[in-house]
């Protein structure tokens, strides 16, 4: 080997070694981060992180089944919730590419039995982008209490919302709605002549060898399936039963972090879909929150120190007992997947910290959630004792006040009939997050449940002012203001 070739080889090996050492260091930091979240009762699940398209970290934390003490592993199967929507969107774009349907025609073209008064105004594009105006069926009063345990055919469930008045003119604005994606699954069946599950399997899962992904059925024995749990303060309970015909194309899939990595990698190729069609999934069609919405994906920008902002493509999911997120940075082919099986938690915060590690940026260390300590005291000792504990703990730097956790505690109290205690908990959120429309909405709901109509109106009004997209809040406000 001559000297120049030898020098090139040495440099190449040295570069590979450097990359390996850096990746190992990042993996160590990610592990330390998630281990601390697990210790604090905020993450029980599995994580996978890839950098430049290569997996640098995957690991399970806590239990897939707490009764048998079975640990979470990279091949543990979790219910995905709304991450399912990106698969549904892909299938629609695939059918459009094949000329089997058009995205810009009324949905009555493919669903002739759908009420024309609404259906003639709504296109598939509206459904894909949550701009249809169709009320969200999972937000209907007492939906989870009265309907979520019962099996429905797609046709039967569509009839529960198809004749309801639209919340706004289709295309006018974004309002997240499971109803739209449920309808998309039904359209897939009508156009393809196959069940949603069959078409998904043949079009995506089999070609990509995603053997650990599928449509979840409670009655089927599924190897390595995680059980779903919910947190009630520091207490863990089995999650409520949900018939999986209910989420359907809006949220009924299960998968593993490893299979979602296969999915992520496939989206960089033209194996299943042309480049142009793939790009259509990730266009910013409508403003949504602090970013935009494409077809089944949220599109956002994230800071990267003093460098240009990073374009993020991601989506979360929540379903009884499970909370999930998949977050992609296409420019660097970076990926974070977090699948959790103890109900709602702060996966967004964890995702941001992991991204900071990948880009060598500072991040906040995990803190205990003050909400976990509050629930037991408010439940057992009442409002005065709970508020005294809050005043004490908020001064402790090892604790953090987290909006979603506090909100969850408030609703547990409300559901248990502890209305005064719930009001005090929701007040904590208002005090700490005065620019969040959601916290006023929750406080308004608690006041209404407690019979204080004036304070309910005051808080719902503030909520709608801060969050003009709060259609449910507007409805309640209109009703109680009569």
């Amino acid at each position: 080997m001559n000297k120049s070739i030898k020098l090139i080889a040495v440099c190449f090996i040295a570069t590979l070694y450097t990359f390996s050492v850096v990746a190992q260091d990042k993996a160590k930091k990610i592990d330390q981060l998630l281990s601390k979240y697990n210790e604090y009762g905020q993450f029980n699940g599995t994580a996978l992180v890839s950098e430049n398209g290569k997996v640098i970290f995957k690991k399970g934390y806590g239990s897939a089944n707490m009764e048998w003490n079975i640990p979470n592993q990279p091949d543990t199967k979790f219910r995905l919730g709304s991450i399912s929507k990106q698969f549904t969107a892909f299938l629609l774009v695939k059918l459009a590419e094949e000329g089997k349907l058009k995205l810009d025609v009324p949905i009555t073209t493919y669903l002739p039995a759908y009420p024309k008064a609404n259906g003639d105004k709504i296109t598939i594009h509206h459904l894909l982008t949550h701009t249809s105006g169709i009320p969200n069926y999972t937000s209907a009063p007492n939906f989870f209490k009265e309907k979520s345990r019962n099996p429905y055919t797609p046709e039967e469930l569509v009839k529960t919302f198809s004749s309801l008045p639209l919340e706004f003119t289709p295309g006018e604005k974004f309002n997240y709605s499971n109803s739209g994606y449920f309808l998309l699954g039904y359209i897939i069946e009508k156009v393809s002549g196959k069940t949603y599950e069959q078409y998904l399997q043949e079009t995506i899962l089999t070609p990509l060898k995603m053997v650990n992904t599928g449509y979840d059925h409670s009655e089927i024995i599924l190897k390595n399936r995680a059980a779903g749990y919910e947190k009630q303060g520091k207490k863990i309970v089995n999650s409520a039963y949900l018939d999986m015909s209910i989420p359907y194309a809006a949220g009924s899939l299960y998968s593993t972090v490893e299979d979602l990595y296969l999915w992520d990698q496939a989206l960089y190729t033209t194996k299943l879909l042309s480049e142009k069609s793939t790009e259509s999934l990730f266009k910013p069609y409508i403003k949504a929150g602090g970013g935009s919405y494409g077809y089944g994906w949220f599109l956002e920008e994230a800071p990267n120190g003093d460098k240009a902002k990073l374009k993020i493509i991601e989506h979360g999911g929540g379903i009884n007992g499970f909370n999930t997120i998949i977050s992609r940075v296409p420019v660097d082919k970076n990926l974070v997947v977090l699948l959790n099986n103890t109900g709602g938690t702060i996966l967004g915060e964890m995702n941001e910290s992991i991204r900071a590690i990948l880009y060598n940026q500072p991040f906040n260390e995990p803190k205990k959630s003050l909400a976990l300590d509050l629930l037991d005291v408010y439940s057992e000792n009442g409002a005065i004792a709970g508020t005294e504990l809050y005043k004490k703990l908020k001064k402790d730097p090892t604790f953090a006040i987290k909006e979603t956790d506090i909100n969850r505690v408030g609703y547990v109290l409300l559901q248990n009939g502890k209305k005064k205690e719930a009001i005090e908990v929701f007040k904590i959120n208002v005090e700490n997050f005065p620019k969040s429309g959601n916290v006023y909405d929750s406080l308004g709901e608690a006041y209404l449940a407690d019979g204080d109509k004036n304070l309910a109106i005051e808080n719902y009004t503030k909520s709608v002012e801060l969050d003009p997209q709060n259609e449910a809040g507007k409805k309640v406000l209109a009703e109680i203001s009569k």
Side-chain angles (χ1 to χ4, degrees), residues 289-404:
S292 304
Y293 202 80
Y295 286 166
W297 292 93
F298 283 97
L299 315 172
E300 299 175 359
E301 290 188 338
N304 184 22
D306 56 0
K307 300 176 183 177
K309 287 187 175 182
L310 295 168
K311 291 186 177 180
I312 311 298
I313 298 173
E314 63 185 17
H315 211 291
I319 194 168
N320 297 19
F322 297 88
N323 189 203
T324 60
I325 192 168
I326 177 170
S327 182
R328 311 172 69 233
V329 186
V331 68
D332 296 313
K333 291 189 176 180
N334 289 350
L335 171 73
V336 177
V337 182
L338 299 171
L339 305 179
N340 173 73
N341 64 314
T342 50
T345 190
I346 45 172
L347 295 185
E349 180 181 302
M350 299 176 211
N351 174 43
E352 289 174 8
S353 295
I354 293 171
R355 187 189 305 131
I357 291 171
L358 290 177
Y359 288 93
N360 301 306
Q361 299 295 326
F363 60 92
N364 296 323
E365 292 293 333
K367 290 188 176 184
K368 298 174 185 176
S369 177
L370 181 144
L372 299 181
D373 286 70
L374 289 182
L375 178 59
D376 292 341
V377 177
Y378 271 109
S379 295
E380 297 170 13
N381 303 326
I384 294 174
T387 301
E388 286 177 354
L389 179 64
Y390 158 66
K391 291 176 179 177
K392 176 183 175 182
L393 293 183
K394 75 174 183 177
K395 299 175 184 177
D396 187 335
T398 63
F399 283 90
I401 300 170
K402 302 184 179 184
E403 180 184 342
T404 53

Side-chain angles (χ1 to χ4, degrees), residues 402-404 406-407 426-444 458-468 470:
K402 302 184 179 184
E403 180 184 342
T404 53
I406 294 290
N407 210 49
F426 289 134
K427 281 183 179 178
I428 293 172
N429 257 353
V430 167
E431 175 188 330
N432 289 279
F433 306 99
K435 294 184 179 180
S436 168
N438 186 55
V439 301
Y440 290 96
D441 184 277
S442 298
L443 182 55
E458 180 182 317
N459 281 277
Y460 273 115
T461 300
K462 184 67 174 178
S463 172
V464 170
E465 286 176 2
L466 289 169
D467 180 13
N470 182 5

Side-chain angles (χ1 to χ4, degrees), residues 407-435:
N407 210 49
R408 197 172 295 116
V409 166
Y411 276 108
V412 170
L413 291 168
L414 197 59
Q415 289 161 8
N416 290 338
K418 296 185 178 294
K419 299 171 187 176
K420 302 294 186 186
E421 289 80 2
I423 288 170
E424 293 306 311
V425 169
F426 289 134
K427 281 183 179 178
I428 293 172
N429 257 353
V430 167
E431 175 188 330
N432 289 279
F433 306 99
K435 294 184 179 180

